[in-house]
Amino acid sequence: MPKHLSARALVRTRRPEFPVYCLRHHAVDTASRWFQQHFPGRVLFAVKTNPLFVQTLAKSGLRHFDVASIAEIEEVAANVPNARMSFMHPVKNRDAIRRAYFDFGVRDFALDSEEELKKILDETNCAKDLNLFVRIAVNNRHSRMSLSGKFGISGREARRLLFKVRQVGRGLGVCFHAGSQIMHPRAYVEAMKRVAKCIRRSGVIIDYLDIGGGFPSAYPHLAPPPMQLFIDAIIESFNEMPVSETCELWCEPGRALVAEGASLVVKVEHRKGNLLYINDGVFGGLFDAGQPGFIYPVRSLSEKESAGRELTEFSFFGPTCDSMDFMQGPFLLPIDVSEGDYIEIGSLGAYSLQLRTQFNGFNYSETVEVSDGPLLSMYGLVESSKMDAVTATSPELVPIELSGETY
Ligand SMILES: Cc1ncc(COP(=O)(O)O)c(C=O)c1O
């Protein structure tokens, strides 16, 4: 893969006509080591966010993966020998269950219904070595992206399922997902309280507690509290849970491990007032900048750039003919940005590449490696003066109130 010092160096030498992903493996390595050092349990990587980083994570010591499909299982198996994989999708295809168990040695499966339990038992010939994770429904109100509508079981049904699974599985786990881009540690505290109540009332002993993903990344309009506060809250809540001393605590971050690992270089094709028509959009790598309204950190890579150029707010249109291909922002860029200029859009290591479509024929993107720092960081990878330049200028910055302190 081609290597450059930075996105700016790439533009200077190549002047690319197509969107280019700039991968920062070192940023993923830092995030992974941070989690492995600070999280008081096992860290799994949610492969769905970006399989390109599977090897990078394995090199950093992370060898346990949350997979959601056979394609992800094949990807991990091909790249990381002896990886442990946990099939945490609560509704699986029968053939996928069979192949995961018999061809790839997967033993951990999530479920949220008795029908899924039957499926798993049928397809594994009632295997006696399964670790089965019951997905409990929890509140997603502290997250920017709710994932609560589709999966999870609660109340009496949950207690009945826990009881049943305890009898057939070698290991019994509980998992939940409190949403993506969780903005307050309270999300984990509340979810763990809910799970504790459910376990107590069902009278089972659990072997695993998987608290899912959801750990935040830094965006100009969403300034999460420091990651350590999430870890502290999780440790405190876990210590109060009615679980045995041997119960393993797991988490499955996606965004928090890889978001800082890629940015996207796009070209301005046209300017109409404060609207920039760029060569990638919501049907390409910028899905979350569309309807979900994420405001990514941006910087101009234009040659004319000099310190102190006045910044103003822009919205973007992507390259397709669809008017939904619109990104409101605001994205703060130099006031004189014009056709032919390049823009670097940061924090796109998670979900972006995976969500690209071929709509209107705009399916082409390249990938290079760069060695400079990300535009924003939860792990101190950006000099604070540079980070301030991206965050302090954003009118949308939302400080988070936590225990009376503002972050
Ligand atoms: C089961 C499961 N685990 C982990 C994740 C990763 O979430 P995040 O990227 O918010 O950490 C997801 C995301 O959808 C998920 O569905």
Side-chain angles (χ1 to χ4, degrees):
M1 189 176 294
K3 291 188 168 63
H4 296 271
L5 272 178
S6 62
R8 196 177 295 281
L10 158 86
V11 165
R12 209 175 290 130
T13 52
R14 293 260 321 275
R15 303 206 64 77
E17 288 304 323
F18 297 99
V20 183
Y21 281 95
C22 295
L23 302 188
R24 292 179 172 85
H25 291 285
H26 61 96
V28 172
D29 182 79
T30 299
S32 169
R33 287 178 199 277
W34 192 94
F35 260 89
Q36 289 178 77
Q37 257 178 31
H38 293 85
F39 185 77
R42 242 171 199 276
V43 182
L44 288 68
F45 170 52
V47 175
K48 61 178 74 73
T49 49
N50 196 339
L52 267 190
F53 289 121
V54 159
Q55 272 189 352
T56 317
L57 288 158
K59 278 190 203 143
S60 74
L62 192 160
R63 307 188 72 83
H64 193 166
F65 298 89
D66 152 32
V67 287
S69 63
I70 274 293
E72 287 185 3
I73 290 175
E74 285 171 340
E75 178 83 23
V76 173
N79 284 289
V80 187
N82 305 321
R84 177 164 173 186
M85 291 183 260
S86 301
F87 207 157
M88 301 312 282
H89 194 311
V91 178
K92 292 167 287 301
N93 166 270
R94 280 183 177 270
D95 184 57
I97 296 171
R98 197 167 46 247
R99 291 196 55 209
Y101 183 85
F102 289 106
D103 300 349
F104 294 97
V106 175
R107 295 295 179 264
D108 311 325
F109 294 87
L111 64 146
D112 67 357
S113 66
E114 292 193 22
E115 291 81 356
E116 186 74 6
L117 175 61
K118 182 172 177 333
K119 241 199 250 176
I120 295 169
L121 293 176
D122 283 353
E123 298 307 322
T124 59
N125 298 341
C126 292
K128 297 283 177 259
D129 57 355
L130 298 170
N131 299 314
L132 298 172
F133 290 73
V134 174
R135 173 126 165 203
I136 305 283
V138 298
N139 199 307
N140 276 211
R141 72 195 167 106
H142 297 294
S143 72
R144 181 61 207 268
M145 293 195 138
S146 173
L147 300 169
S148 63
K150 196 164 174 182
F151 302 124
I153 186 169
S154 57
R156 189 175 305 158
E157 282 184 318
R159 298 198 291 275
R160 199 170 48 219
L161 187 58
L162 280 168
F163 193 75
K164 269 210 157 147
V165 172
R166 180 71 277 179
Q167 282 152 34
V168 293
R170 177 184 62 186
L172 169 63
V174 166
C175 60
F176 63 80
H177 210 290
S180 195
Q181 185 68 14
I182 291 174
M183 294 301 292
H184 202 297
R186 201 180 290 141
Y188 292 100
V189 175
E190 288 173 6
M192 288 163 88
K193 271 202 182 120
R194 190 183 171 98
V195 167
K197 197 167 156 191
C198 186
I199 299 171
R200 234 181 241 118
R201 293 182 75 180
S202 60
V204 294
I205 291 174
I206 63 163
D207 308 299
Y208 305 96
L209 176 68
D210 179 351
I211 62 167
F215 295 91
S217 194
Y219 301 93
H221 65 313
L222 294 170
M227 202 66 95
Q228 186 61 50
L229 295 189
F230 286 82
I231 303 291
D232 295 345
I234 289 163
I235 293 174
E236 208 180 310
S237 298
F238 188 56
N239 287 339
E240 286 168 10
M241 287 194 70
V243 294
S244 71
E245 276 192 7
T246 54
C247 177
E248 284 184 24
L249 181 65
W250 293 10
C251 67
E252 317 162 351
R255 183 188 302 277
L257 291 178
V258 299
E260 294 175 21
S263 59
L264 187 63
V265 171
V266 297
K267 189 176 183 190
V268 177
E269 305 286 14
H270 183 58
R271 174 172 176 174
K272 251 188 215 174
N274 282 17
L275 276 172
L276 298 181
Y277 292 65
I278 58 176
N279 66 350
D280 207 12
V282 306
F283 298 99
L286 297 168
F287 178 85
D288 284 340
Q291 195 54 35
F294 268 71
I295 301 173
Y296 292 103
V298 292
R299 66 183 160 208
S300 159
L301 303 175
S302 148
E303 288 297 322
K304 50 193 182 228
E305 177 137 35
S306 61
R309 265 164 88 203
E310 192 186 336
L311 300 176
T312 193
E313 295 178 5
F314 289 93
S315 297
F316 296 157
F317 269 125
T320 68
C321 298
D322 197 312
S323 46
M324 273 172 60
D325 198 358
F326 174 66
M327 296 148 275
Q328 174 87 49
F331 302 101
L332 281 158
L333 288 161
I335 199 161
D336 58 350
V337 67
S338 58
E339 192 256 320
D341 283 345
Y342 289 90
I343 298 165
E344 182 176 15
I345 307 177
S347 301
L348 281 170
Y351 298 108
S352 166
L353 247 170
Q354 293 315 102
L355 294 175
R356 299 190 74 85
T357 73
Q358 308 202 345
F359 189 42
N360 271 208
F362 294 103
N363 56 349
Y364 188 77
S365 68
E366 287 179 51
T367 307
V368 302
E369 288 176 21
V370 296
S371 48
D372 64 344
L375 279 79
L376 285 179
S377 178
M378 294 290 286
Y379 310 97
L381 288 174
V382 188
E383 290 162 43
S384 62
S385 59
K386 283 194 186 162
M387 187 144 153
D388 289 348
V390 186
T391 55
T393 49
S394 171
E396 294 287 303
L397 186 72
V398 179
I400 300 301
E401 286 280 343
L402 200 67
S403 314
E405 292 171 83
T406 302
Y407 292 90

